[in-house]
Amino acid sequence: MRTAEIKRRYLAHFEANGHTVVPSAPLPAIDDPNLLFINAGMVQFVPYFLGQQTPAFKRAVSVQKCIRTPDIDEVGKTSRHGTFFQMNGNFSFGDYFKEGAIKLAWELSTGAYGLDPERIWATVYLDDDEAFDLWRKIGVPAERIVRRGKKDNFWSMGIPGPAGPCSELFYDRGPAYGRDGGPEVDEDRFMEFWNLVFMQYEITDVKSKSEFTVVGDLPQQNIDTGMGLERVASLLQGVDNLYEIDEVRPILARAAEMTGKKYGAKSGHVAGESHPDDVRLRVIADHVRTALMLIGDGVTPSNEGRGYVLRRIMRRAIRAIRLLGWQEPALPELLPVARDCMAPSYPELAADFERISQAAYGEEETFLGTLRAGTTILDTAIADTKKAGRSALAGDKAFQLHDTYGFPIDLTLEIAAEQGLDVDADGFRVLMAEQRARAKADAKARKTGHADLSAYRTVLDANGPTDWLAYETLETDSRVLAVWGTGEIVTVALDRTPFYAESGGQDSDAGLLTGPSLRAEVIDVQRPVKGLVAHTVRILDGTIAVGDTVHAAVDPEWRVGARQAHSGTHVVHAALRHVLGPSALQSGSYNRPGYLRLDFAWRGGLSDVTRSEVEEVANQAIRRDLPVGVRYVPLEQARHEGALALFGETYDETVRVVEIGGDWSRELCGGTHVDRSAQIGSLAVTGESSVGAGQRRIEAVTGIEAFRYLARERDLVGRLAAQLKARPEELPDRVTALLARMKQTEKEAADLRARLLDLDAEEYAAGAVDVGGIAYVGVTITGDGKTLAEKVRNRLGNRPGVIGVLAGPGLVVALTPAAVDRGLSAAHLVKLLLSGRGGGNAGFAQGKATGDPAELLVQLRDLVGAA
């Protein structure tokens, strides 16, 4: 049974039993400050379990995309660890409880999935007699029901809140997989495939998974279950592990074919351990699929947060296939295979593949460049290590290559071994541990638990949703429902508001709240919980209190500028797709009055011609005065009509579609817009830059800000034309000629300086004084002390010589080879002169000088004489 069919049957089973099918949330955990990625099926339902929000349904079912990265280094070493996985889950919010969950799980497992009921085992919490009796009632014999402790069969989120016992289902895969006796004896043979969590308690004083205090029963009992889709697939497809199911094995097979390796090779390796080639093939298969899913959900490679995790995953895959012998770009061979594996369950991956592949291939290209640069640096470090007579590359050098340049430690070890060197792995591990400790401390400092939204929730429950009128009006008379905070800056909830709350890339409105004894500036507007609008205000005059009637007024000029910018963002997006093609899809945006920026998928910068063409297409659309319309339609209808959505965003079943010129621009959007495109005024592109591999950013100004920008440009051109006594159209040729002349002048000046330096070096070498049989030169100059010291040294030829040059605060000491042969060292002399500061080698050293320069050169001469 293919994985897509397993997913379909799961959803159909629970939908037929009264559950609302809830789509998977995007992998980025946008609404949870503690998570980078969704890591469990219940994450999007946490606000319901915590009582922060009231669900619109009592029963739900989902197949949630998940990412777990704490064990990323274990991926491939065992058959259990995977970075991306899918979690089937059914949920009850105060509806059915243990009996219903157990009955539904048994019916699906033995019915639609056809698992042999004689091979299913169940575990229950130690004292959960109710669950034990329910399994007995359904037909599981007592000898196949195992009681287990808190470590295995009690669930919590690791923080004070809901918790409860759980019951896990295991399937006996047969004697070929291990010993008989149930999951207590062998969890390889007896594979867990479903966990039913019975949320019935509230806990506090949480110290660990097994140390907490049960406060009492929850107001309502909930069900949260998790069935690993990949695990069930391995059972139903009769394969050993998640790497061999239909959604993963083809990627692994293609990697094996590319590298000439055979998966499952055991010859000559330690029994019981995976062969290194197998580990690498599993890493490739898992990480390529994970990268596909992350980029599909809008994550792009970067050096921070989610983007860094994606980058690390991709680089581990690229590194693994290089270690198997493949030196060319690998993702163009592997990513299409992953797409074909996953598209039956996620058809949007095929539709968006051009964008996804651009980001992925660009990242691989960048990393291959990193590897080339890192190899050069490593080669130099190896040469220096050998020259110094050491047998091991320093741990700090290996760490620098890893941390600064992204050069994998595995490759450092491999290349060093090829050159007959070890690597100070202990030193490297110490530095890595220190870095991880710093990162962990930073994460702990930032982690504050689930945001306390109870105060907002209380206001929402007591008064209902805010009457949000931002689309209809700029002014309302409103009643104050709540005030949080004291002093000059407070947060206010109103029963109705005309203010746009920041969302969808659009900045919040500005304006005033006024009353008989109040004048307050609105400086921010947010939605802390769905349905409630909260205004952050600065009190200018008077006071504000619950029950007051206030006049809420949006600054009309602000709103005009905001509408122009947001509509301008849509116009620029459409223009980009018109000029570059449909793969130039928006991945993020921000707009405020008069300004917009838009991030989009594209490899390589835009030429001046292309940038001008995008600007021209956008302004032509503005000039055509296209109608701007808004419709509310079902999400699936909007997708069918080709409406563009922002990656990573979660949408309701009914969505708002904004159209400019009908299908010329059609996007899902909750922002404020002009009525016709000509109201944007004009649009000027002000910049285009890179924001990551395969990602570009275009910036523009609109309306009056565009006129001001163009006026400044015109003024600048006018002043340049006047200074150069040329017409504006002649400026490019004039500037090019000036630059050419300047370059030639700089070259001539450099040649003259070099000739003068040669003359100086000749003079200084001729004037060298004899100090104990060593030619000594000590000079103070303004200029390039290093070059002068080298030139003087060359002119001393075979004579033992020491040259000291003070150039500003910098001291340079150079020795001829004959002086080095006599046992002198430039590095030693510099350290003696500068009290241990400075550095270099026997022939050349430098450092920052302090004190009297003349005295320093005298001291150097004395040191030479004493030697």
Side-chain angles (χ1 to χ4, degrees):
M1 188 183 299
R2 295 185 66 83
T3 305
E5 176 62 14
I6 298 171
K7 172 183 174 181
R8 188 198 66 78
R9 292 191 186 190
Y10 187 87
L11 294 173
H13 172 74
F14 285 99
E15 187 175 25
N17 282 278
H19 292 66
T20 297
V21 176
V22 179
S24 171
L27 284 166
I30 297 171
D31 296 327
D32 192 326
N34 299 318
L35 293 176
L36 288 178
F37 302 109
I38 301 291
N39 62 1
M42 55 81 70
V43 170
Q44 66 171 316
F45 302 110
V46 164
Y48 305 151
F49 292 132
L50 293 177
Q52 294 172 346
Q53 296 181 23
T54 302
F57 34 71
K58 286 290 188 179
R59 301 181 177 197
V61 61
S62 70
V63 178
Q64 175 63 50
K65 297 176 287 186
C66 300
I67 295 283
R68 285 184 187 167
T69 57
D71 298 327
I72 191 171
D73 292 326
E74 298 302 312
V75 169
K77 296 178 183 177
T78 74
S79 61
R80 296 181 181 181
H81 291 92
T83 312
F84 170 81
F85 62 97
Q86 300 155 90
M87 188 61 71
N88 298 347
N90 59 284
F91 308 91
S92 167
F93 309 105
D95 190 15
Y96 64 83
F97 198 47
K98 292 181 184 179
E99 183 172 12
I102 289 172
K103 178 174 179 292
L104 288 166
W106 184 259
E107 289 174 352
L108 177 63
S109 300
T110 60
Y113 288 162
L115 293 175
D116 183 355
E118 300 301 318
R119 297 168 68 178
I120 295 177
W121 289 61
T123 64
V124 298
Y125 183 55
L126 285 174
D127 61 1
D128 193 351
D129 295 332
E130 181 185 2
F132 186 95
D133 293 340
L134 287 168
W135 282 119
R136 288 286 295 111
K137 179 180 176 182
I138 213 163
V140 181
E143 60 268 22
R144 294 211 311 270
I145 307 173
V146 181
R147 295 181 184 268
R148 304 180 89 172
K150 289 179 179 178
K151 179 181 177 183
D152 298 297
N153 278 68
F154 199 94
W155 176 91
S156 76
M157 290 189 292
I159 61 173
C166 56
S167 179
E168 297 177 325
L169 295 181
F170 292 78
Y171 194 72
D172 182 0
R173 298 197 290 169
Y177 290 91
R179 296 175 296 161
D180 198 0
E184 284 285 273
V185 175
D186 193 330
E187 287 199 12
D188 284 327
R189 171 173 173 172
F190 297 88
M191 179 187 283
E192 178 200 341
F193 68 92
W194 208 340
N195 185 14
L196 316 179
V197 176
F198 311 130
M199 282 192 205
Q200 61 187 101
Y201 302 123
E202 181 180 356
I203 63 171
T204 189
D205 298 330
V206 181
K207 297 180 177 63
S208 69
K209 188 174 177 65
S210 58
E211 295 179 279
F212 50 81
T213 302
V214 176
V215 178
D217 293 337
L218 290 171
Q220 68 175 27
Q221 297 173 327
N222 303 313
I223 289 293
D224 159 29
T225 84
M227 169 193 275
L229 182 55
E230 284 77 7
R231 286 202 176 190
V232 178
S234 66
L235 289 176
L236 297 181
Q237 293 173 18
V239 297
D240 284 353
N241 55 62
L242 65 90
Y243 298 101
E244 299 175 10
I245 67 172
D246 62 305
E247 289 188 345
V248 184
R249 183 60 185 260
I251 313 169
L252 187 152
R254 179 64 185 124
E257 180 185 6
M258 292 163 60
T259 57
K261 304 297 182 181
K262 183 178 180 181
Y263 181 66
K266 304 296 180 187
S267 175
H269 195 61
V270 179
E273 293 185 9
S274 295
H275 191 281
D277 288 353
D278 287 358
V279 172
R280 289 166 184 155
L281 288 169
R282 289 171 181 167
V283 167
I284 293 163
D286 174 88
H287 287 5
V288 169
R289 185 172 80 134
T290 300
L292 172 78
M293 302 307 296
L294 284 172
I295 299 172
D297 272 3
V299 182
T300 55
S302 71
N303 288 327
E304 295 181 343
R306 301 180 181 96
Y308 176 74
V309 174
L310 171 60
R311 172 163 286 168
R312 184 182 176 205
I313 286 168
M314 294 181 69
R315 292 186 170 189
R316 291 188 88 240
I318 296 165
R319 177 192 68 195
I321 201 163
R322 285 176 65 85
L323 292 175
L324 291 175
W326 184 266
Q327 302 301 315
E328 301 301 315
L331 292 182
E333 300 289 337
L334 297 170
L335 202 68
V337 180
R339 172 202 61 199
D340 294 343
C341 289
M342 300 305 297
S345 289
Y346 304 98
E348 63 272 16
L349 294 172
D352 295 341
F353 189 69
E354 187 172 358
R355 173 189 65 84
I356 295 168
S357 61
Q358 280 193 357
Y361 301 163
E363 175 64 15
E364 181 174 29
E365 185 178 303
T366 300
F367 183 47
L368 293 179
T370 295
L371 289 178
R372 286 189 289 270
T375 301
T376 301
I377 295 168
L378 178 57
D379 288 344
T380 302
I382 288 173
D384 290 344
T385 302
K386 287 183 172 182
K387 188 175 180 180
R390 295 193 296 270
S391 62
L393 186 71
D396 59 350
K397 177 59 68 174
F399 178 76
Q400 179 192 26
L401 280 162
H402 168 84
D403 189 52
T404 305
Y405 300 100
F407 198 79
I409 184 62
D410 286 2
L411 278 181
T412 299
L413 291 167
E414 181 180 0
I415 294 171
E418 289 172 356
Q419 297 294 320
L421 291 178
D422 292 326
V423 175
D424 178 13
D426 290 339
F428 174 82
R429 281 192 289 269
V430 167
L431 291 169
M432 282 296 295
E434 291 174 355
Q435 183 196 59
R436 286 174 180 146
R438 288 192 298 270
K440 187 174 181 181
D442 180 60
K444 186 175 181 181
R446 289 185 284 107
K447 184 172 180 178
T448 57
H450 291 275
D452 184 6
L453 304 176
S454 57
Y456 298 115
R457 181 69 203 174
T458 299
V459 174
L460 182 62
D461 287 343
N463 300 280
T466 305
D467 188 8
W468 190 62
L469 302 171
Y471 297 145
E472 287 81 31
T473 183
L474 296 179
E475 298 185 42
T476 61
D477 288 322
S478 308
R479 182 167 57 88
V480 177
L481 302 178
V483 179
W484 295 280
T486 58
E488 182 186 9
I489 307 293
V490 297
T491 301
V492 179
L494 305 174
D495 65 339
R496 62 176 59 192
T497 183
F499 284 91
Y500 184 85
E502 180 183 356
S503 63
Q506 181 175 330
D507 204 352
S508 60
D509 278 334
L512 292 173
L513 300 184
T514 57
S517 60
L518 171 71
R519 188 168 172 268
E521 176 189 7
V522 177
I523 56 177
D524 189 26
V525 188
Q526 300 289 333
R527 285 191 179 90
V529 295
K530 189 175 182 179
L532 184 73
V533 177
H535 312 71
T536 301
V537 304
R538 177 182 290 108
I539 305 294
L540 303 176
D541 293 298
T543 59
I544 189 169
V546 174
D548 287 353
T549 297
V550 298
H551 185 69
V554 176
D555 180 343
E557 287 300 315
W558 180 281
R559 177 65 71 83
V560 167
R563 294 169 69 197
Q564 290 174 323
H566 205 149
S567 296
T569 305
H570 287 221
V571 168
V572 169
H573 189 198
L576 280 167
R577 290 167 55 77
H578 177 86
V579 174
L580 302 178
S583 62
L585 278 170
Q586 175 184 344
S587 57
S589 68
Y590 171 74
N591 52 80
R592 63 173 187 264
Y595 168 84
L596 68 91
R597 70 169 185 250
L598 185 143
D599 298 344
F600 61 100
W602 196 252
R603 291 176 68 186
L606 304 186
S607 67
D608 290 342
V609 172
T610 302
R611 179 173 142 173
S612 295
E613 189 176 354
V614 170
E615 188 178 67
E616 174 72 12
V617 170
N619 279 299
Q620 286 289 348
I622 293 171
R623 184 173 178 271
R624 284 159 55 197
D625 198 25
L626 299 173
V628 179
V630 174
R631 292 186 295 130
Y632 291 87
V633 299
L635 178 59
E636 286 307 312
Q637 178 184 333
R639 285 175 173 160
H640 180 72
E641 293 175 352
L644 302 178
L646 183 64
F647 296 108
E649 285 289 334
T650 302
Y651 295 95
D652 294 331
E653 284 306 305
T654 299
V655 294
R656 186 174 184 258
V657 178
V658 175
E659 297 173 332
I660 300 177
D663 60 3
W664 188 81
S665 168
R666 179 176 289 141
E667 299 190 30
L668 305 188
C669 181
T672 60
H673 288 272
V674 298
D675 298 320
R676 300 189 69 87
S677 63
Q679 293 173 357
I680 297 172
S682 64
L683 185 145
V685 174
T686 59
E688 189 269 335
S689 59
S690 170
V691 287
Q695 290 290 310
R696 306 296 299 179
R697 169 172 292 173
I698 193 164
E699 296 178 89
V701 285
T702 59
I704 191 65
E705 288 302 322
F707 284 113
R708 289 170 178 160
Y709 173 80
L710 294 172
R712 288 193 299 270
E713 294 281 294
R714 182 185 61 193
D715 180 60
L716 177 61
V717 169
R719 285 189 283 118
L720 286 173
Q723 288 176 356
L724 296 175
K725 296 181 174 58
R727 294 192 300 274
E729 61 270 21
E730 295 174 339
L731 283 177
D733 290 340
R734 286 289 184 92
V735 171
T736 300
L738 279 174
L739 289 174
R741 281 159 50 192
M742 184 183 300
K743 187 175 181 181
Q744 179 61 29
T745 301
E746 288 175 347
K747 182 178 182 303
E748 292 171 355
D751 290 343
L752 179 59
R753 285 194 298 271
R755 288 198 297 270
L756 290 173
L757 201 60
D758 285 337
L759 293 173
D760 287 342
E762 191 71 40
E763 180 181 346
Y764 291 137
V769 297
D770 184 275
V771 180
I774 295 174
Y776 173 73
V777 175
V779 297
T780 301
I781 66 167
T782 56
D784 186 352
K786 181 176 182 292
T787 301
L788 178 63
E790 290 173 342
K791 286 181 178 291
V792 174
R793 178 170 61 180
N794 292 338
R795 278 158 178 77
L796 290 175
N798 295 326
R799 298 166 62 190
V802 175
I803 304 97
V805 180
L806 272 168
L811 171 66
V812 176
V813 175
L815 273 64
T816 63
V820 174
D821 290 342
R822 292 183 58 166
L824 293 173
S825 167
H828 179 65
L829 291 171
V830 165
K831 288 185 177 180
L832 288 174
L833 289 168
L834 303 181
S835 303
R837 298 187 300 274
N841 52 42
F844 185 91
Q846 58 188 338
K848 186 176 181 180
T850 57
D852 184 355
E855 182 63 27
L856 204 60
L857 292 175
V858 170
Q859 291 174 12
L860 175 60
R861 185 184 62 189
D862 291 344
L863 287 172
V864 172

